[in-house]
């Protein structure tokens, strides 16, 4: 696991460099979710693949930018699913982006997660690594330095409501309105990494990306995005649900499968479960 952790750090440093120097034109290709890839998406994907190729313990990788999984070392135990550059469409307006990693043992699946990590490329580069607990690291003078362990409070103050409102279910809209009436403040950039990072570090709140009339299974991808963040939030003392079930109990149907998702502290996610068990 140490080797995987090191490979993630090396990748993050190289990706930061690529973000700072690479031009951000669109490529001619689309990824498996039908989105046009940026040259930078492809470059970051390559960097991560290169770094994991050097680690014997990594059996198979699956990337948001690759159609199929890729076997690297048949005797390795870890299966790693990653989103090399989440929120890449925010690069050209200079908002924060991230990389997300789910580290699975002997096969993919939420119940096989043994660690998860993400990196935020913002004014500073930070990494959060969750295994037994959740740890924050800051890139300083070329090295990731441990800053602190992170835990969520029972109840937070921030609300990051994703998805297109026009397509929200009425009960979802009432639930979100209800939180705002209680005094929650809107914090939403459109990049799940900085949005979830902010809620995690400020102690709590709710990030939601529900199923909508146009996308009943939501937008966010289980293996690369949703399961890793569910692991981080759960280890930090919070919770992640698809509305009815614990995210960490869900299966998946193909590596690019999506799910509605809600991440937060206890108070807010309890409300989600209550509302969604009575509706939908
Ligand atoms: P990606 O850039 O890897 O395709 O994913 C972006 C994700 C996520 O970061 C964000 O929460 C969500 O897409 C926002 O999507 P919409 O703006 O389409 O709602
Ligand atoms: Mn993504
Ligand atoms: Mn991406």
């Amino acid at each position: 696991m140490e080797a995987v952790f090191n490979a993630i750090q090396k990748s993050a440093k190289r990706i930061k460099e690529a973000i700072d120097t690479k031009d951000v034109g669109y490529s001619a290709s689309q990824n498996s979710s039908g989105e046009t890839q940026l040259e930078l998406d492809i470059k970051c994907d390559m960097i991560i693949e290169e770094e994991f190729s050097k680690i014997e313990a990594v059996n198979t990788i699956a990337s948001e930018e690759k159609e199929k999984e890729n076997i690297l070392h048949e005797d390795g135990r870890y299966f790693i699913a990653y989103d090399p550059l989440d929120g890449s469409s925010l690069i050209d307006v200079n908002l924060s982006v991230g990389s997300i990693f789910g580290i699975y043992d002997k096969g993919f699946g939420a119940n096989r997660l043994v660690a998860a990590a993400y990196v935020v490329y913002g004014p500073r580069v930070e990494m959060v690594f969750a295994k037994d607990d959740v740890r924050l690291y800051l890139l300083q003078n070329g090295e990731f330095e441990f800053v602190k362990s992170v835990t969520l409070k029972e109840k937070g103050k921030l609300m990051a409501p994703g998805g297109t409102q026009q397509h929200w279910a009425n009960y979802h809209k009432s639930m979100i309105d209800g939180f705002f009436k209680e005094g929650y403040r809107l914090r939403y950039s459109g990049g799940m990494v900085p949005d979830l990072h902010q809620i995690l570090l400020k102690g709590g709140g709710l990030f939601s990306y529900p199923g909508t009339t146009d996308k009943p299974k939501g937008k966010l991808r289980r293996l690369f995005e949703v399961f890793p963040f569910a692991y981080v939030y759960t280890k930090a003392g919070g919770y992640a649900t698809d509305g009815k079930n614990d995210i960490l109990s869900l299966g998946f149907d193909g590596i690019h499968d999506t799910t509605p998702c809600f991440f937060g502290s206890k108070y807010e996610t309890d409300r989600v479960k209550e509302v969604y068990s009575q509706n939908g």
Side-chain angles (χ1 to χ4, degrees), residues 35 64-65 83-88 98 100 192 219-221 224-225:
E35 299 154 346
E64 189 186 273
E65 304 303 337
D83 181 353
L85 199 59
D86 180 78
S88 50
I100 311 167
M192 71 182 298
K219 173 183 182 188
L220 299 176
R221 286 142 284 221
F224 318 118
E225 298 173 320

Side-chain angles (χ1 to χ4, degrees), residues 170-218:
N170 289 335
Y171 57 86
H172 181 80
K173 179 155 178 39
S174 316
M175 179 183 78
I176 299 292
D177 287 348
F179 282 120
F180 284 124
K181 280 187 194 129
E182 275 179 47
Y184 281 80
R185 277 170 290 150
L186 176 66
R187 290 291 184 273
Y188 191 74
S189 74
M192 71 182 298
V193 176
D195 289 338
L196 280 159
H197 188 58
Q198 179 166 204
I199 290 173
L200 183 68
L201 292 192
K202 301 273 188 197
L206 183 72
F207 174 97
S208 47
Y209 207 106
T212 49
T213 48
D214 59 332
K215 286 183 186 162
K217 286 188 80 181

Side-chain angles (χ1 to χ4, degrees), residues 1-2 5 78 103 113-117 128-137 146 148-151 230-238 248:
M1 182 62 76
E2 193 64 25
F5 184 52
Y78 298 121
I103 300 148
L113 269 172
V114 286
V128 167
F129 188 83
K131 196 164 160 269
D132 303 317
D133 61 354
V134 181
R135 294 173 181 220
L136 173 70
Y137 297 81
F146 173 73
K148 61 178 180 181
S149 294
V150 182
T151 51
Y231 190 87
V232 171
Y233 266 60
T234 304
K235 289 287 178 188
L248 294 176

